[in-house]
Amino acid sequence: MDTRAIAPLIDAHIHLDQYTTTQQQSILQSLSSQQVEALIAVSMNLDSCHANLELAKHNPRTIFPAFGYHPEQPLPSAGDLHLLLGWIKQHIGQAIAIGEVGLPYYSRQEAEQAGNSWDQSGYIELLEQFIQLAKQYNKPLVLHAVYEDADIACDLLEKYQFRRAHFHWFKGSRQTIARMADNGYFVSFTPDIMYEEEIRELARQYPSEQVMAETDGPWPFEGPFQGRMTHPAMTRQVIQSWCEVMGMGTERAARLFYQNAKRFYGLPASSQ
């Protein structure tokens, strides 16, 4: 099939700043030939926000930065949080979204399995601040919240009547999935939809008008991607695997994923 006849790709969640400079250059130089139109570049912390903003300045029609604080790390000090929030507000006009933010499921699991206590309250308070920030500036919110943590995130989103939420690489119960879908939240699938039955089952359950494709690069993948650098073009295989699960034609699905991402993030009519 001629891929030029299919809608362009949008990587709805990538840590572009976490690649080496050489890898970044390789990715950016190959996007056009791989029919990748746009990247949503999420941030880990203030330094990451700075890096993604610089990448976006040099690639303004391709890279769209999101500013936030990844939850799978120690909480920022009060002073560092003040600096981060102030910087985000100062540069909010250049942000496509607030993210990556959320709750530290994997860090908590690791601590509890090691027999250590874990206080989640500070992370919940931080997430609440980011939800308030997203609502204040009418920006989409990129969330890292899986399993039971997703229910806490939903509680907060509902508290502030905020619906522009994107749960990336989501896993959770059927009940939580239904709650998220009913609230209009979006989810995105990574390349592990090709080989993880849990993710394929999520695809069967989630409304097709609320799905996107992502890589979460540079996170590496298994199966056919074993040993390969994670590239935004892998979202093509994500969509093809989703097609297999849903029984939808590839061209129709490509247009659907493209339009969903453009609509959710409010991306410009044409990025290239």
Side-chain angles (χ1 to χ4, degrees):
M1 180 179 292
D2 183 0
T3 57
R4 290 173 297 179
I6 303 178
L9 300 168
I10 296 174
D11 189 339
H13 187 104
I14 184 171
H15 295 268
L16 189 60
D17 67 301
Q18 300 297 303
Y19 288 86
T20 67
T21 301
T22 300
Q23 289 173 333
Q24 290 171 4
Q25 292 173 347
S26 174
I27 288 171
L28 292 168
Q29 289 170 1
S30 64
L31 292 181
S32 180
S33 65
Q34 296 289 336
Q35 292 84 47
V36 179
E37 182 177 291
L39 312 177
I40 305 299
V42 297
S43 300
M44 298 284 294
N45 49 41
L46 183 54
D47 287 343
S48 183
C49 290
H50 279 290
N52 280 319
L53 179 57
E54 284 303 307
L55 285 165
K57 284 180 177 178
H58 289 95
N59 304 273
R61 299 178 65 83
T62 304
I63 299 173
F64 297 88
F67 303 141
Y69 189 87
H70 197 294
E72 299 284 357
Q73 58 185 322
L75 284 166
S77 67
D80 286 346
L81 179 58
H82 178 75
L83 287 173
L84 173 64
L85 294 177
W87 187 93
I88 292 176
K89 291 175 183 178
Q90 182 181 354
H91 297 88
I92 196 68
Q94 294 153 296
I96 198 69
I98 301 298
E100 179 173 357
V101 300
L103 296 170
Y105 177 84
Y106 300 105
S107 297
R108 177 167 58 85
Q109 288 287 303
E110 184 177 332
E112 291 175 350
Q113 288 170 5
N116 300 320
S117 61
W118 183 270
D119 184 1
Q120 187 89 320
S121 60
Y123 289 95
I124 294 172
E125 292 171 5
L126 180 59
L127 175 56
E128 187 166 7
Q129 289 188 67
F130 280 122
I131 292 173
Q132 292 173 307
L133 187 66
K135 182 166 185 176
Q136 177 183 352
Y137 291 102
N138 192 29
K139 295 289 182 178
L141 192 72
V142 188
L143 286 163
H144 170 102
V146 298
Y147 300 116
E148 58 266 30
D149 283 353
D151 294 302
I152 300 172
C154 287
D155 289 342
L156 291 172
L157 292 167
E158 290 168 359
K159 175 181 177 180
Y160 290 96
Q161 298 181 318
F162 189 80
R163 290 178 173 267
R164 297 186 70 189
H166 167 199
F167 286 73
H168 100 96
W169 207 339
F170 177 73
K171 302 112 180 145
S173 70
R174 185 175 289 270
Q175 181 179 3
T176 303
I177 290 168
R179 179 185 185 185
M180 288 166 47
D182 288 345
N183 283 347
Y185 308 150
F186 278 57
V187 300
S188 54
F189 301 104
T190 70
D192 72 349
I193 192 176
M194 297 186 72
Y195 52 83
E196 289 284 354
E197 182 54 35
E198 180 181 19
I199 305 303
R200 294 170 76 86
E201 183 57 31
L202 171 63
R204 295 183 187 101
Q205 297 174 46
Y206 220 78
S208 60
E209 298 80 12
Q210 294 161 234
V211 299
M212 298 182 285
E214 62 156 304
T215 62
D216 200 29
W219 185 270
F221 291 93
E222 300 172 10
F225 306 107
Q226 186 74 41
R228 291 172 54 187
M229 182 187 73
T230 298
H231 190 287
M234 291 178 180
T235 53
R236 181 75 72 198
Q237 285 94 334
V238 172
I239 296 169
Q240 290 169 346
S241 292
W242 185 88
C243 290
E244 296 169 6
V245 172
M246 301 299 290
M248 184 182 292
T250 304
E251 290 188 50
R252 179 184 170 196
R255 288 194 300 271
L256 174 72
F257 274 72
Y258 178 73
Q259 291 164 359
N260 286 352
K262 297 279 271 195
R263 184 176 76 254
F264 178 83
Y265 279 108
L267 294 171
S270 177
S271 297
Q272 289 188 8

